[in-house]
């Protein structure tokens, strides 16, 4: 697994790289946003550790650009913040980061977060499943999803890795109510250490790509006080 570290503080970047390389990961690092975008295109990493405050382009802008134009790989993004209050702002902006970690952090916690993210890729293999509902077809093996716009028009959905996994989870169990903890365990794994509200961020992003009116969702419904459920008639 290849990891790109984007951190302008050389000492922190060095500690991150040392901790990850001791665990067998291949790492490259850079110190600013423009270099991060260039290395992302060149290296096609599996995961990016991205500091929020960077010279030039900040971490939010780097994350947004990567999500707008993913390369051959659609990397997981672990965003680093200097203060826990910043996580509220970052989550609210729905940047597309997969997890958040507040400085200072221990090397052990960092490695655990990285492994939890990368484990999601490994969990997807082994079965060829196609989930069909009235408006959606999700092919788990081909990693493709489409939406039926009308009787004669189908639209391919442009989803990030996490958005695809979230949609696949919902479509495979129409009508089931999922709370945040269950979705985190399904998508991140039981060793997830982050903020549960990250689920809300990714649901909001997915709704923007699925729903005719994301403010009044038809398919991904909020169950007040509990979580979310997917509603759409299934097809044989």
């Amino acid at each position: 697994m290849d990891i790109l570290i984007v951190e302008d503080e050389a000492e922190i970047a060095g500690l991150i790289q040392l901790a990850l390389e001791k665990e067998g990961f291949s790492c490259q690092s850079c110190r600013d946003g423009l270099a991060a975008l260039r290395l992302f295109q060149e290296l096609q990493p599996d995961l990016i550790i991205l500091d929020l405050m960077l010279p030039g382009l900040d971490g939010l802008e780097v994350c947004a650009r990567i999500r707008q134009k993913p390369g051959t790989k659609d990397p997981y993004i672990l965003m680093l913040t200097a203060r826990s209050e910043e996580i509220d702002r970052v989550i609210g902006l729905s940047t597309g980061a997969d997890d958040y970690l507040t400085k200072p952090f221990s090397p052990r916690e960092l490695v655990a977060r990285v492994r939890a993210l990368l484990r999601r890729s490994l969990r997807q293999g082994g079965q060829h499943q196609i989930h069909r509902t009235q408006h959606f077809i999700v092919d788990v093996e081909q990693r493709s999803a489409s939406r039926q716009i009308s009787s004669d028009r189908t639209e391919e959905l442009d989803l990030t890795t996490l958005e695809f996994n979230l949609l696949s989870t919902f479509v495979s169990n129409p009508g089931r109510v999922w709370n945040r903890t269950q979705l985190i365990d399904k998508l991140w794994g039981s060793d997830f250490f982050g903020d549960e509200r990250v689920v809300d961020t990714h649901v909001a992003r997915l709704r923007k790509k699925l729903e005719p009116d994301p403010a009044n969702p038809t398919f991904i419904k909020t169950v007040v006080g509990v979580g979310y459920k997917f509603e759409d008639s299934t097809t044989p």
Side-chain angles (χ1 to χ4, degrees):
M1 293 288 188
D2 297 315
I3 297 175
L4 173 61
I5 302 164
V6 188
E7 168 60 66
D8 62 326
E9 296 185 44
E11 184 176 354
I12 294 177
L15 289 172
I16 292 172
Q17 185 161 346
L18 179 63
L20 292 173
E21 288 181 342
K22 284 177 64 176
E23 297 295 324
F25 295 107
S26 175
C27 300
Q28 295 284 339
S29 64
C30 63
R31 297 187 181 184
D32 65 77
L34 290 174
L37 292 175
R38 185 180 68 253
L39 284 175
F40 162 65
Q41 294 294 340
E42 292 176 2
L43 302 175
Q44 294 295 303
D46 298 284
L47 182 143
I48 300 173
I49 297 174
L50 179 62
D51 189 32
L52 177 62
M53 302 303 296
L54 294 169
L57 296 178
D58 66 14
L60 295 178
E61 181 63 24
V62 172
C63 185
R65 294 193 186 189
I66 288 173
R67 291 306 189 212
Q68 288 167 3
K69 296 183 178 180
T72 304
K73 291 182 181 177
D74 182 19
Y76 295 114
I77 296 178
L78 172 59
M79 187 166 285
L80 307 180
T81 67
R83 300 186 304 275
S84 58
E85 310 89 78
E86 290 176 336
I87 294 180
D88 296 331
R89 180 169 68 91
V90 175
I91 289 177
L93 292 172
S94 299
T95 58
D98 297 293
D99 196 5
Y100 309 87
L101 186 59
T102 305
K103 301 175 184 176
F105 49 80
S106 69
R108 182 178 179 179
E109 182 179 11
L110 174 73
V111 170
R113 295 283 190 95
V114 167
R115 288 197 180 282
L117 287 170
L118 292 175
R119 193 174 296 122
R120 278 187 278 165
S121 297
L122 303 178
R123 288 181 175 182
Q124 304 305 317
Q127 303 178 37
H128 190 184
Q129 294 178 303
I130 299 178
H131 304 300
R132 301 175 187 269
T133 66
Q134 181 178 351
H135 294 93
F136 297 94
I137 299 175
V138 178
D139 188 321
V140 176
E141 184 176 272
Q142 297 298 320
R143 309 293 291 172
S144 65
S146 60
R147 178 179 58 177
Q148 194 77 29
I149 304 298
S150 63
S151 59
D152 59 352
R153 182 182 168 209
T154 301
E155 174 189 54
E156 289 294 320
L157 297 171
D158 183 17
L159 304 175
T160 67
T161 300
L162 191 141
E163 290 164 355
F164 179 88
N165 293 344
L166 183 57
L167 176 61
S168 179
T169 297
F170 281 138
V171 173
S172 66
N173 293 275
R176 171 175 173 174
V177 177
W178 298 84
N179 61 37
R180 290 188 184 96
T181 301
Q182 290 168 332
L183 289 171
I184 284 171
D185 187 57
K186 182 78 172 176
L187 301 175
W188 277 267
S190 57
D191 52 358
F192 176 78
F193 292 98
D195 192 316
E196 284 191 346
R197 290 169 299 170
V198 71
V199 171
D200 303 332
T201 296
H202 294 295
V203 167
R205 289 176 60 85
L206 184 58
R207 279 174 170 163
K208 289 178 181 179
K209 297 183 178 182
L210 301 187
E211 304 282 358
D213 180 5
N216 297 284
T218 302
F219 305 113
I220 302 176
K221 301 288 188 67
T222 298
V223 181
V224 178
V226 183
Y228 301 97
K229 68 176 179 178
F230 177 84
E231 291 187 346
D232 194 26
S233 301
T234 59
T235 61

